[in-house]
Amino acid sequence: MGKTFKKLKKRFIQFKAHPLTAQNPWRSFLRYLLFNISLKFKKEIVYNSLGGIKILVRKGDSSVIGNIYFGLQEFTESAFLLHFIRKEDEFLDVGANLGHYSLLASGVCGAKSICIEPVPKTYDQLLQQLKINELDELVTPFNLGISDEEGELYFSTDMGPMNRVVNEEYKNAERVNVKTIDSIVKDKDIRLIKIDVEGYENHVLKGCEKIMSTENLKAVIIELNFLNEIYGGNAEEISRYFATKGFSPYEYEPFTRTLSLLNHYNKQQFNTIFIKDLDFVTDRIKNGRIIEIRDKRI
């Protein structure tokens, strides 16, 4: 009982602190309770989210459940995408998991997306998300791993949204075909990339030299943290790589639509937004769509 109380208390504190739920944390807390009670009686729930998109949620689907609890998963980065992406753009989602970012880019913004997810079971769930949202014509999914060369890698299958590259001796591992981003994207004019590969980012970036040098690519949302060191890289090194390609790290404030230049990657959260051509990006977000979430307009 004490463990449950601590969990509920922690969640309520999160609702009090989150910018989308702080004004009425009790309402969000009640939604949270009702949703989790429902999951005890149902295998899965289809939740109607912002912009008319539907989210198929099962117990443990933490990569999308923030849309239900808080209104928008990974709030600042997701809001940046919503303000920045246009219908004529193409978006690349590396490490798509259940497709949160691709659903926003294609389901809300109407852009074309390429989404890549290596773990077969997760990929099957991703396909279900795309199907219930009727996004077959806008989203091209790939069941592949991404690295600096083509071949095969082993991925864990027991870490949920944190599944990552492991060795073949790992107990719950599955062998997956691997390609480079450049070999998949080829001549596509990608405008925005999201990369979340649980520490393997350094190898992914080595396989996308061509696309990183294109004029059309204006921003990259990438997860940088201690996990990068597991695979021989580190966040500072990756930040320097972005600098050589003309990108700088920024923090985004969704309510004022302002970008603040950082001295290094964003150490306050897992994801960092790297931007090239600040004037272009600033103009885009200032004139981007207005999103209504939890009685707020951003």
Side-chain angles (χ1 to χ4, degrees):
M1 190 67 179
K3 186 178 180 180
T4 299
F5 177 78
K6 288 181 179 179
K7 182 179 179 181
L8 293 175
K9 181 180 178 181
K10 181 180 178 181
R11 185 65 73 186
F12 184 72
I13 291 173
Q14 290 175 333
F15 289 133
K16 288 178 67 176
H18 197 281
L20 292 177
T21 59
Q23 287 186 341
N24 198 335
W26 283 108
R27 183 168 63 179
S28 297
F29 186 68
L30 179 60
R31 182 185 291 109
Y32 161 76
L33 290 176
L34 292 175
F35 173 75
N36 280 277
I37 291 171
S38 297
L39 274 183
K40 290 184 178 297
F41 299 98
K42 298 179 181 179
K43 181 180 177 182
E44 57 190 29
I45 295 174
V46 176
Y47 179 80
N48 293 316
S49 189
L50 65 92
I53 61 174
K54 297 179 176 64
I55 301 173
L56 181 65
V57 185
R58 300 183 175 107
K59 187 176 181 179
D61 288 346
S62 59
S63 65
V64 292
I65 214 162
N67 292 301
I68 299 171
Y69 292 172
F70 303 105
L72 186 60
Q73 183 93 4
E74 299 188 353
F75 174 56
T76 56
E77 308 93 301
S78 299
F80 173 81
L81 181 151
L82 289 168
H83 291 155
F84 175 71
I85 287 289
R86 300 292 189 272
K87 186 175 182 179
E88 63 270 20
D89 291 336
E90 294 192 63
F91 169 64
L92 176 62
D93 191 354
V94 182
N97 204 273
L98 300 184
H100 165 70
Y101 283 93
S102 291
L103 290 176
L104 295 181
S106 297
V108 179
C109 302
K112 290 185 177 179
S113 294
I114 297 172
C115 61
I116 303 168
E117 170 53 42
V119 181
K121 183 179 178 181
T122 307
Y123 178 76
D124 289 342
Q125 287 183 256
L126 169 63
L127 293 183
Q128 287 182 282
Q129 302 280 15
L130 300 179
K131 183 178 180 180
I132 64 173
N133 285 284
E134 301 179 349
L135 291 175
D136 293 349
E137 294 185 5
L138 287 178
V139 182
T140 303
F142 288 92
N143 185 199
L144 293 169
I146 298 295
S147 188
D148 51 349
E149 60 182 8
E150 297 191 10
E152 295 179 333
L153 286 172
Y154 286 86
F155 285 82
S156 65
T157 60
D158 59 349
M159 300 183 191
M162 295 188 69
N163 280 320
R164 57 179 180 261
V165 174
V166 295
N167 59 45
E168 59 183 301
E169 285 78 30
Y170 188 84
K171 183 179 179 180
N172 296 293
E174 191 157 359
R175 188 168 59 184
V176 176
N177 289 330
V178 172
K179 291 189 176 183
T180 66
I181 285 180
D182 280 343
S183 68
I184 293 173
V185 172
K186 296 180 180 177
D187 58 349
K188 299 288 185 181
D189 288 325
I190 304 296
R191 183 71 78 185
L192 171 67
I193 301 176
K194 185 228 78 180
I195 303 174
D196 182 355
V197 289
E198 301 304 322
Y200 209 67
E201 283 76 10
N202 189 46
H203 294 275
V204 169
L205 290 170
K206 289 178 180 178
C208 61
E209 283 287 315
K210 182 179 178 181
I211 187 173
M212 285 293 295
S213 301
T214 60
E215 183 179 346
N216 199 61
L217 180 65
K218 301 299 184 184
V220 178
I221 301 170
I222 186 169
E223 184 179 61
L224 298 180
N225 53 55
F226 66 93
L227 288 175
N228 302 120
E229 298 176 11
I230 296 176
Y231 305 102
N234 62 72
E236 296 290 354
E237 175 187 317
I238 293 172
S239 294
R240 290 193 291 272
Y241 167 81
F242 274 101
T244 66
K245 298 298 181 181
F247 290 82
S248 299
Y250 284 85
E251 184 175 35
Y252 187 55
E253 209 302 304
F255 290 101
T256 60
R257 303 197 180 199
T258 54
L259 289 161
S260 300
L261 180 65
L262 299 172
N263 293 324
H264 42 65
Y265 69 96
N266 197 330
K267 297 182 179 181
Q268 305 304 311
Q269 58 188 48
F270 275 176
N271 293 321
T272 300
I273 302 172
F274 285 90
I275 290 172
K276 176 176 64 178
D277 194 346
L278 181 61
D279 289 341
F280 178 92
V281 175
T282 300
D283 180 69
R284 271 285 188 101
I285 60 179
K286 288 293 184 184
N287 295 290
R289 63 182 47 79
I290 295 173
I291 307 296
E292 294 189 9
I293 315 171
R294 299 288 160 84
D295 301 325
K296 294 182 182 295
R297 292 163 62 88
I298 62 169

